Amino acid sequence: MSTTADPAGVLTGSHYIDGDHACAEGALAAGCRFVAGYPITPSTEVVERIAGRFPRVGDGIFIQMEDEIASSIAIQGAMWGGKKVMTVSSGPGFSLMMEHIGLAAMTEVPCVFVDVQRGGPSTGLPTRPGQADMMQARWGSHGDYEIIAMCPNSPQEAFHLTFDAFNLAERYRVPVLVMLDECVGHMIEKVVIPRADELEVVERKWTRKKPGEYLPYEVTDGSMVPDACKAGDGYRIHTTGLTHDERGYPTMNWRAQEKLIRRLVDKIRGQAGEIVRYEENDVDDADVVVVAYGITSRVAKRSIESARKRGIKVGMHRLVVAWPFPEQRIAELSRRVKGLVVAEMNYGQMSLEVERVAAGRCPTRLVGHGGGMVHDPEDIERAIVEVAQ
Amino acid sequence: MSDVQGSKPSSATNPVDPFLRIDRMPSIWCPGCGIGTTVNCFTRALIECGLDLDKVAIVSGIGCTGRVAGYLNLDSFHTTHGRPIPFATGLKLANPELKVVVYSGDGDLTAIGGNHLIHAARRNVDLVVVCVNNHTYGMTGGQVTPTTPPPAIASTTPYGAFEEPFSLPLLADSCGAVYVARWTTYHVRQIAKAMREALQKRGLSFIEIISPCPTLYARRNRLGDGLAAMKYYKQASVIQNGADTRQVGIGYQDKIICGKFVDRERETWLESYNKRHVAALGSKFRPYPTGLPEVSEPAGGNHGHD
Ligand SMILES: Cc1ncc(C[n+]2csc(CCOP(=O)(O)OP(=O)(O)O)c2C)c(N)n1
Ligand code: SF4
């Protein structure tokens, strides 16, 4: 079910704002009306903007919680209270949220987690960029589950992808992670926010069943996604992070585990084709394809332009959605290029995925970087040249 | 509306049955465990409080007590260990029409979740917090908790506990809870009454219920079965309503001061939120519903329902 955005939250017009502010506006436009957070550089601007905007927009609550553990579960309580919800953090706080990403996956809570990545591990480089939380985003909570993660590379895209994150969260009832990096979070660029009637919002798929007929985890159509309800409407539901059946009741055996976890995994894997998103340039004739995301994709663009001038046929595959990973497309590329170059601000995370999917059909070359500073475009260009030979 | 509220149960059925998820019985609790007793009291309080039960939600953490949410026929949420309070905070603020009850163990609420308890009390979020204090981690096999009185034996203090325990009424009181009471599972009528009062109150209420864990705590300390615990509670309890919470600490097998210690009024989080933003933003602020019945304000008056 989709409608157009509630105009109260849409700041239509052209703005010069940074990625953090744009992210906050994307959430507001998508109908987010509950945000819990705890200050941490370089993400704090997101919650600061929300704290300023909600009282004027109406119907929204921002609460600064005592820590990120509390923030990441307060939003889940608020979801069951009927709101669209978000929490925001960076490395150390993101680490504290991991248990509750698992809870959201297990209890199918649509919610958005924003991680403005900085240099890590530990306190690392608070004011400087990193892209080293990508595997944590995918696997950080214990157990098997699926999430969706997106990587904007500009303030404009921070607006749009945060907006889309809410829609995806509702459609699939999963936590959706918006993985900014400090550069995108803090760079100021023009952000155009459309009119509310141009923004399509996915509404929660409320059950039409009556209390007594409705089972909170029953799947009634092919989507593998159960219909929703909220507390206070007479359904008297139960939810638990324990393995559960359609009633939401704990069911402690391997059959229930198999049934539930299979579905939680398959509802994303089975529909990955619809979720996967990437942008490509100059790949048709390419001998080499650079895979990059976030701010690094903009650095790589320079490297590619420069290499093209030297006559090297090189193109770009930019991950817009990192998880689920565009397996099919990377496999296709690996069949027809000389090599794939992965540039990222870590020492090998998404590159592992590229390598796995390329499966030896072509070499994968990582241009790694510890973070704290974007790549030198020449380093990426050098790798392009070497792989092209 | 469900068929539960207001219906007069026939004498053939247990009057608490309509409040329970009968399809989940029997419960996991051991014979002689006090948790079930507290749940019976809670259902009594639900009958008496006059609330629309479709608007009452219960949130538990993890532990033997954490299973309470799963047995009650309410909107019920079994969350993560230590985190029912922030979950409940989100639920309450998102839908202020709800009466939200947190029901969990002493380990859950005061060890791993201690930070959330003190902040929720400070903020005066409108929640009822019921803490079943069995002085141990029941679910994981009887380890020491922040409320174990020295020198009680626990599985992780095989030679006796030695840390200073929390006195929970003092903790809740000093952090700003508006209602603080303690009873033992011997005091079933008083528990039900305290729960009813808490359900009818605005702001954070904290009820501590001293409860036996015959399987672990009592067995390790050779304190006998559930019945022996009742005898001890009966003999050792001293009712002192209004007692100074600095004087109500519990020693090992010592006297237990019970009663209603605190009952006061304070602005809730949502009331403060609205008040501040009205003051700062005037008509640009769009007030957030507080879940209270609408009070028509006299023109120019600023003393609505503070
Ligand atoms: C993060 C986390 N740490 C530890 C546990 C294991 N655990 C489950 S219940 C529990 C203790 C429960 O004790 P208490 O809250 O006192 O409740 P009781 O079982 O005594 O009713 C612990 C430590 C867990 N589930 N999650
Ligand atoms: S272990 Fe103790 S607290 Fe847990 S159910 Fe048994 S008696 Fe009750």
Side-chain angles (χ1 to χ4, degrees):
Chain A
M1 278 269 288
S2 67
T3 64
T4 54
D6 169 9
V10 184
L11 204 65
T12 304
S14 288
H15 312 272
Y16 282 89
I17 51 177
D18 71 18
D20 281 0
H21 285 255
C23 169
E25 289 302 331
L28 278 154
C32 173
R33 293 294 181 271
F34 187 93
V35 175
Y38 188 85
I40 184 165
T41 305
S43 76
T44 311
E45 291 87 341
V46 182
V47 292
E48 286 173 343
R49 186 163 182 116
I50 292 281
R53 292 268 283 130
F54 270 169
R56 293 158 180 267
V57 168
D59 206 33
I61 288 287
F62 167 70
I63 182 166
Q64 182 174 315
M65 295 298 288
E66 50 275 19
D67 58 32
E68 292 85 347
I69 299 174
S71 304
S72 57
I73 196 164
I75 61 167
Q76 302 191 39
M79 190 300 289
W80 289 108
K83 298 285 190 194
K84 291 191 176 180
V85 302
M86 173 172 84
T87 187
V88 182
S89 197
S90 182
F94 193 54
S95 290
L96 289 182
M97 292 179 175
M98 288 301 132
E99 186 182 7
H100 291 149
I101 289 181
L103 178 69
M106 189 65 151
T107 52
E108 301 182 72
V109 168
C111 54
V112 173
F113 286 73
V114 176
D115 175 15
V116 188
Q117 297 172 86
R118 63 193 220 180
S122 191
T123 312
L125 289 169
T127 60
R128 296 185 160 272
Q131 291 182 313
D133 304 350
M134 298 305 295
M135 282 293 176
Q136 184 185 27
R138 176 63 189 89
W139 300 110
S141 200
H142 56 281
D144 251 332
Y145 60 98
E146 291 277 338
I147 48 82
I148 296 172
M150 324 182 80
C151 310
N153 79 345
S154 69
Q156 179 70 63
E157 206 175 52
F159 172 85
H160 278 301
L161 292 189
T162 306
F163 181 90
D164 293 347
F166 281 88
N167 283 350
L168 288 166
E170 293 298 335
R171 181 161 290 139
Y172 298 106
R173 288 187 65 175
V174 283
V176 179
L177 282 46
V178 182
M179 307 297 289
L180 278 76
D181 52 67
E182 186 274 336
C183 288
V184 172
H186 281 164
M187 67 170 24
I188 295 179
E189 285 182 344
K190 184 171 162 182
V191 174
V192 179
I193 299 181
R195 290 195 318 269
D197 61 11
E198 296 168 322
L199 288 166
E200 201 163 310
V201 166
V202 176
E203 291 299 336
R204 197 155 293 164
K205 203 170 113 206
W206 299 113
T207 181
R208 297 225 182 100
K209 292 193 174 167
K210 295 195 181 63
E213 294 170 5
Y214 169 73
L215 299 176
Y217 292 103
E218 186 186 28
V219 175
T220 52
D221 58 19
S223 72
M224 284 191 261
V225 182
D227 291 352
C229 77
K230 65 177 171 26
D233 286 352
Y235 291 99
R236 311 278 184 99
I237 54 156
H238 184 61
T239 73
T240 175
L242 289 167
T243 298
H244 47 268
D245 61 16
E246 282 87 353
R247 296 169 300 178
Y249 290 1
T251 312
M252 302 290 107
N253 63 60
W254 69 267
R255 278 195 191 82
Q257 172 79 357
E258 167 68 15
K259 190 169 176 207
L260 176 62
I261 307 308
R262 262 253 149 251
R263 181 173 65 74
L264 295 183
V265 166
D266 285 349
K267 77 174 174 179
I268 298 302
R269 288 191 194 167
Q271 300 175 84
E274 283 177 31
I275 304 168
V276 157
R277 236 200 278 181
Y278 51 82
E279 186 185 85
E280 289 183 341
N281 287 303
D282 301 325
V283 295
D284 290 346
D285 67 339
D287 291 329
V288 180
V289 169
V290 178
V291 179
Y293 54 94
I295 193 62
T296 309
S297 66
R298 295 174 67 162
V299 179
K301 193 167 168 242
R302 277 264 295 278
S303 322
I304 289 169
E305 279 162 9
S306 173
R308 279 252 164 204
K309 279 188 197 131
R310 292 162 71 163
I312 299 172
K313 289 180 181 159
V314 51
M316 163 106 89
H317 175 101
R318 175 167 78 88
L319 300 170
V320 177
V321 169
W323 305 114
F325 187 73
E327 295 190 3
Q328 230 178 318
R329 182 59 183 161
I330 296 293
E332 272 163 33
L333 291 174
S334 71
R335 281 191 195 95
R336 59 180 175 79
V337 297
K338 284 192 189 156
L340 293 161
V341 172
V342 184
E344 54 184 346
M345 256 187 275
N346 58 57
Y347 288 113
Q349 295 197 12
M350 298 315 292
S351 67
L352 296 175
E353 198 66 359
V354 173
E355 199 167 5
R356 179 182 72 78
V357 173
R361 285 182 291 262
C362 75
T364 301
R365 166 73 83 85
L366 166 70
V367 188
H369 186 315
M373 170 72 181
V374 295
H375 285 74
D376 182 338
E378 283 177 23
D379 290 341
I380 303 173
E381 189 179 342
R382 201 171 313 118
I384 294 169
V385 173
E386 283 169 20
V387 171
Q389 275 156 13
Chain B
M1 247 338 292
S2 80
D3 53 357
V4 172
Q5 206 216 9
S7 65
K8 285 240 163 21
S10 79
S11 55
T13 59
N14 187 334
V16 306
D17 282 359
F19 298 89
L20 302 177
R21 297 186 190 273
I22 301 297
D23 52 349
R24 292 214 54 218
M25 297 296 144
S27 76
I28 63 157
W29 298 315
C30 311
C33 176
I35 300 170
T37 309
T38 74
V39 173
N40 274 327
C41 297
F42 185 62
T43 59
R44 288 258 302 271
L46 288 176
I47 295 171
E48 290 165 9
C49 71
L51 294 170
D52 173 357
L53 297 187
D54 282 344
K55 303 289 180 196
V56 180
I58 180 157
V59 184
S60 288
I62 304 294
C64 296
T65 315
R67 292 303 188 93
V68 167
Y71 295 124
L72 283 163
N73 187 19
L74 300 169
D75 282 320
S76 54
F77 302 93
H78 184 226
T79 60
T80 53
H81 188 33
R83 320 301 172 193
I85 288 178
F87 183 101
T89 299
L91 181 60
K92 173 68 192 178
L93 298 184
N95 186 352
E97 274 189 1
L98 300 173
K99 191 77 209 177
V100 182
V101 181
V102 171
Y103 213 121
S104 222
D106 53 304
D108 189 85
L109 291 170
T110 76
I112 188 166
N115 197 28
H116 311 308
L117 173 65
I118 63 178
H119 287 284
R122 173 182 66 78
R123 292 187 181 111
N124 204 26
V125 186
D126 190 6
L127 300 175
V128 177
V129 179
V130 177
C131 178
V132 176
N133 181 0
N134 52 21
H135 306 298
T136 198
Y137 287 151
M139 181 62 95
T140 44
Q143 294 78 26
V144 73
T145 77
T147 62
T148 310
I153 307 277
S155 72
T156 46
T157 50
Y159 308 108
F162 51 88
E163 293 180 6
E164 180 72 24
F166 271 146
S167 173
L168 300 184
L170 173 60
L171 184 68
D173 179 12
S174 54
C175 294
V178 291
Y179 183 100
V180 180
R182 172 198 282 151
W183 297 101
T184 76
T185 51
Y186 173 72
H187 301 95
V188 287
R189 273 184 307 110
Q190 291 92 330
I191 296 173
K193 179 165 180 249
M195 288 173 162
R196 170 167 57 73
E197 289 178 349
L199 284 165
Q200 290 167 336
K201 198 139 177 88
R202 271 186 304 122
L204 191 131
S205 300
F206 182 82
I207 302 171
E208 177 185 27
I209 305 169
I210 307 297
S211 172
C213 170
T215 307
L216 300 162
Y217 182 80
R219 184 178 54 80
R220 268 205 190 90
N221 288 288
R222 302 177 193 282
L223 301 174
D225 59 6
L227 200 61
M230 288 307 117
K231 283 189 187 143
Y232 157 58
Y233 292 163
K234 186 178 171 197
Q235 279 158 14
S237 299
V238 183
I239 298 182
Q240 269 182 42
N241 290 312
D244 182 337
T245 55
R246 288 171 300 185
Q247 315 290 330
V248 303
I250 302 178
Y252 181 65
Q253 292 301 97
D254 197 0
K255 71 170 182 216
I256 305 172
I257 299 175
C258 296
K260 176 163 81 176
F261 304 134
V262 175
D263 191 351
R264 61 189 164 208
E265 299 295 324
R266 253 178 81 211
E267 230 170 47
T268 65
W269 192 93
L270 273 176
E271 288 164 339
S272 307
Y273 175 88
N274 277 338
K275 201 168 149 188
R276 176 88 295 270
H277 288 97
V278 165
L281 294 174
S283 62
K284 290 194 199 100
F285 174 57
R286 305 191 38 199
Y288 193 83
T290 57
L292 294 172
E294 288 286 331
V295 178
S296 53
E297 278 181 42
N302 63 354
H303 47 268
H305 39 74
D306 295 341

